[in-house]
Amino acid sequence: MEDTFLALVKGTSGAACVALINDVLSHPEIFHFNEFLQLPNVKQLASNPQHAPYLKLLQLFAYSTYNDYK
């Protein structure tokens, strides 16, 4: 499942990439997010003020703890 989402995310940018990130984060079978953070188009979300919070959310899920979330 994760490979399918990785392939989909690779071909997107902007709002479409954000929508797929939301799908990835809400998927009950995906627990590893580092691969998504390595993609250039996902990194590029940081340059857009509207999309940057979604990159930060993905980073939170990948590297942070529940206390960081709170």
Side-chain angles (χ1 to χ4, degrees):
M1 182 56 63
E2 188 174 328
D3 292 337
T4 303
F5 276 106
L6 277 169
L8 289 171
V9 170
K10 284 180 185 177
T12 64
S13 63
C17 187
V18 166
L20 281 170
I21 287 172
N22 281 329
D23 290 344
V24 166
L25 292 175
S26 64
H27 197 282
E29 296 178 16
I30 299 178
F31 303 103
H32 301 100
F33 305 101
N34 189 46
E35 293 93 355
F36 295 97
L37 289 167
Q38 302 306 314
L39 298 173
N41 56 322
V42 173
K43 290 179 183 179
Q44 198 171 36
L45 294 174
S47 65
N48 183 318
Q50 289 180 313
H51 301 147
Y54 296 94
L55 176 60
K56 289 186 186 252
L57 183 62
L58 186 60
Q59 291 168 334
L60 179 73
F61 272 76
Y63 304 124
S64 300
T65 65
Y66 179 69
N67 285 333
D68 296 329
Y69 173 74
K70 292 189 326 184

